[in-house]
Amino acid sequence: MKKLSSLGELIRYHRNNKRITLEKLDQLTNVDKSNISRIESGQIKRPTLEAILKIGSTLEIPKEELMEPYIEVEERSEVLFTILNDFNHSENIQLLKKIAKKILQSPTEDSVHLVEKLYSRIASIEEPSTKLALYQLIVNYSRAYGIMPYFAKSLLQTYLIKRDDFTKLRSTYESGKGILEFEEFLTSEEKGIMYYKLATHAYNLCLFKDSVELGEKALDAKIYDTKMKADSIYTVCNGYYYLGYYEQTKDYLAQYKEFSLPEVKDNAKITETMLLSANGNHQLAISELRESLPYCLDDALLHVVNHLITLNLQTKKLSELQELFQLEEKLLSIPSLTPFKHSQLALYFKLKGDYYILLKKIEEGIGCYLEAAKRYAKVDLVVKESECLRQTMHNLNKEEIDSSLIEQIEVYFDEKVRKGD
């Protein structure tokens, strides 16, 4: 089929292809044959959407194919919004972008009002890639026309979508921080969400100074969601711990413990035992974690196990670790929905590798280090990935290594080279 340049040509082509006369199409669609003829010839510049949909359905023209030329001639924003709603679930991102561009170009409404309406409609779209493309469209349009509130709002929304790609956590964090320059155009609630998301993002990247500063700013803004507020406090609490500020850790921990959320008890116990071990009370920390282990929720189990393994390695109590490693199947069955959970699984295999190396089981240790490196790479923690790879290479020459393990290492490095990492 030749390229059809107009809506009228498209309709005439499909009508002739089906050998349907104007009179017959009039009868089938209840659209006057003279109007059909004028649509085909281009005399009617902007036919009604209702008429076009009737004709398209009768002639079995694919809806997306029909809408492509129709939106070229349609200027009424209310009609274009109707079309956008109809294609909410379409995978044709280019068509949706074309519809959205036409909406913003509509001469029938004020541009700020059009941007506001389009921004609101995007929230109902489920496909993240489609939402991302449309928010980016608003970012570009709002920047060009100085509509700064919706430039900032859409910039925030693009960040919230992009940050779900765990393999690009570093680059999305840097781009996310760019929103801070435009925070004056966000509502207090939007600022709270922005700071909270950036704080947890920084924490996942082990940027604890950033996580504390951003988390405290989140708490200064309006956070209406109870869990989000609790999580912000806990992020700041643990950020201070890893920075070595234990008094501030205790202050925020006391605030966190005031929440009645189901995860608070287990999380607070983990942080309390971290403080105990930081003060040299390793045995008490181990005892308290051991006591809580059978009762902790799935979300906390991995963190409790990792902390116990760490403490037992520090105190050289290797005989107690085998029991913890028997929980591995359960740990792997718990969904890892956040970058932090992925990094904790990586840490588990890193600690297991340390254990095997201490037992002189070099091959098993290297296998665990390699698994840890792979998991760190999935959440863009390249420093920790490199640490595991250094441990792998350091232990390679300690004894003769099975060829299959050498092959795994070669495949791993070949894959990194292929990706350009």
Side-chain angles (χ1 to χ4, degrees):
M1 184 177 97
K2 70 170 185 174
K3 177 71 174 177
L4 302 171
S5 60
S6 70
L7 178 65
E9 286 183 357
L10 179 70
I11 291 171
R12 181 185 288 119
Y13 171 83
H14 282 279
R15 181 175 64 79
N16 290 337
N17 198 44
K18 287 186 172 294
R19 295 182 173 82
I20 295 177
T21 64
L22 289 169
E23 290 80 3
K24 182 65 174 176
L25 191 56
D26 180 330
Q27 294 171 9
L28 293 171
T29 62
N30 203 29
V31 177
D32 188 88
K33 63 182 181 181
S34 63
N35 284 341
I36 299 173
S37 177
R38 292 167 66 204
I39 290 170
E40 289 185 350
S41 65
Q43 291 176 281
I44 296 180
K45 301 296 184 184
R46 296 183 185 86
T48 66
L49 179 61
E50 180 184 9
I52 291 303
L53 290 175
K54 284 181 178 179
I55 293 169
S57 175
T58 302
L59 296 178
E60 297 180 321
I61 304 173
K63 201 170 182 180
E64 290 189 3
E65 184 182 348
L66 184 67
M67 286 300 105
E68 285 275 4
Y70 181 74
I71 60 176
E72 294 289 342
V73 298
E74 183 56 73
E75 294 182 341
R76 293 164 293 185
S77 62
E78 68 275 11
V79 176
L80 291 165
F81 272 117
T82 298
I83 297 170
L84 184 66
N85 288 342
D86 287 345
F87 283 90
N88 258 3
H89 301 290
S90 171
E91 295 180 1
N92 189 338
I93 294 177
Q94 291 307 312
L95 175 60
L96 288 165
K97 284 176 65 177
K98 188 179 288 188
I99 298 167
K101 282 181 182 177
K102 285 291 291 187
I103 287 172
L104 296 175
Q105 293 166 1
S106 174
T108 63
E109 283 190 61
D110 172 72
S111 59
V112 176
H113 185 52
L114 288 171
V115 170
E116 180 183 3
K117 284 175 66 175
L118 180 59
Y119 177 86
S120 298
R121 295 291 178 91
I122 295 173
S124 64
I125 296 174
E126 294 180 2
E127 177 54 45
S129 59
T130 303
K131 294 176 80 166
L132 183 61
L134 296 182
Y135 281 129
Q136 189 60 57
L137 184 71
I138 294 181
V139 166
N140 296 336
Y141 182 87
S142 298
R143 182 195 288 118
Y145 291 93
I147 309 173
M148 298 311 293
Y150 284 95
F151 170 75
K153 290 173 187 287
S154 298
L155 207 59
L156 174 59
Q157 294 301 327
T158 59
Y159 163 67
L160 295 178
I161 295 170
K162 286 181 177 181
R163 73 192 292 276
D164 286 338
D165 183 352
F166 297 165
T167 64
K168 298 178 180 177
L169 285 181
R170 287 173 297 151
S171 60
T172 54
Y173 177 65
E174 290 304 320
S175 65
K177 285 198 299 181
I179 308 167
L180 298 175
E181 296 180 41
F182 308 100
E183 64 174 292
E184 64 185 284
F185 301 106
L186 299 172
T187 66
S188 184
E189 184 176 5
E190 287 167 336
K191 287 179 188 177
I193 293 170
M194 174 189 67
Y195 280 121
Y196 163 69
K197 294 293 187 179
L198 283 169
T200 56
H201 201 152
Y203 186 83
N204 288 331
L205 289 170
C206 302
L207 301 173
F208 300 119
K209 187 174 183 291
D210 282 9
S211 72
V212 166
E213 291 175 358
L214 293 163
E216 289 183 329
K217 286 185 177 181
L219 295 169
D220 287 339
K222 287 184 179 178
I223 298 180
Y224 296 108
D225 183 273
T226 301
K227 178 170 172 51
M228 191 183 295
K229 186 170 184 178
D231 287 348
S232 296
I233 291 171
Y234 194 53
T235 296
V236 174
C237 171
N238 284 339
Y240 271 127
Y241 171 82
Y242 287 113
L243 291 171
Y245 296 116
Y246 300 136
E247 289 305 314
Q248 290 91 331
T249 303
K250 292 175 185 176
D251 290 342
Y252 277 97
L253 182 59
Q255 293 180 46
Y256 181 66
K257 290 169 71 174
E258 292 177 6
F259 290 87
S260 57
L261 297 167
E263 68 272 18
V264 168
K265 182 179 178 182
D266 288 339
N267 289 342
K269 174 61 71 176
I270 294 168
T271 304
E272 285 170 345
T273 56
M274 286 162 58
L275 286 167
L276 284 172
S277 60
N279 289 318
N281 297 319
H282 300 309
Q283 193 51 53
L284 181 57
I286 291 172
S287 176
E288 291 196 6
L289 285 171
R290 280 276 182 192
E291 186 179 326
S292 66
L293 186 62
Y295 309 104
C296 67
L297 300 175
D298 283 355
D299 275 352
L301 181 61
L302 178 58
H303 315 314
V304 171
V305 168
N306 279 348
H307 195 30
L308 273 169
I309 295 172
T310 301
L311 288 170
N312 280 293
L313 286 173
Q314 288 174 351
T315 56
K316 307 298 184 189
K317 295 186 177 181
L318 305 186
S319 60
E320 298 185 22
L321 291 178
Q322 198 56 45
E323 179 186 347
L324 294 172
F325 293 134
Q326 289 175 1
L327 294 169
E328 185 171 309
E329 185 176 349
K330 179 172 176 58
L331 295 176
L332 292 173
S333 71
I334 299 170
S336 296
L337 303 178
T338 66
F340 183 66
K341 291 292 174 62
H342 280 283
S343 68
Q344 284 292 301
L345 264 179
L347 175 59
Y348 167 81
F349 283 105
K350 162 66 168 59
L351 294 171
K352 191 176 180 182
D354 293 343
Y355 165 75
Y356 278 130
I357 296 300
L358 285 171
L359 293 182
K360 309 298 182 185
K361 295 184 176 182
I362 306 301
E363 285 194 19
E364 290 89 339
I366 288 175
C368 288
Y369 286 146
L370 205 56
E371 181 64 27
K374 291 176 185 177
R375 291 178 180 273
Y376 277 130
K378 287 180 180 178
V379 287
D380 210 16
L381 288 172
V382 292
V383 173
K384 291 183 178 293
E385 178 195 11
S386 296
E387 180 188 342
C388 293
L389 293 176
R390 279 197 298 273
Q391 290 287 352
T392 297
M393 302 310 294
H394 175 72
N395 287 284
L396 265 180
N397 298 322
K398 289 191 174 180
E399 65 175 48
E400 188 173 340
I401 303 297
D402 185 84
S403 60
S404 64
L405 187 57
I406 297 292
E407 186 177 340
Q408 287 181 47
I409 296 169
E410 290 175 346
V411 167
Y412 187 89
F413 280 102
D414 286 347
E415 183 70 12
K416 284 186 69 64
V417 170
R418 188 182 64 78
K419 290 181 178 179
D421 291 346

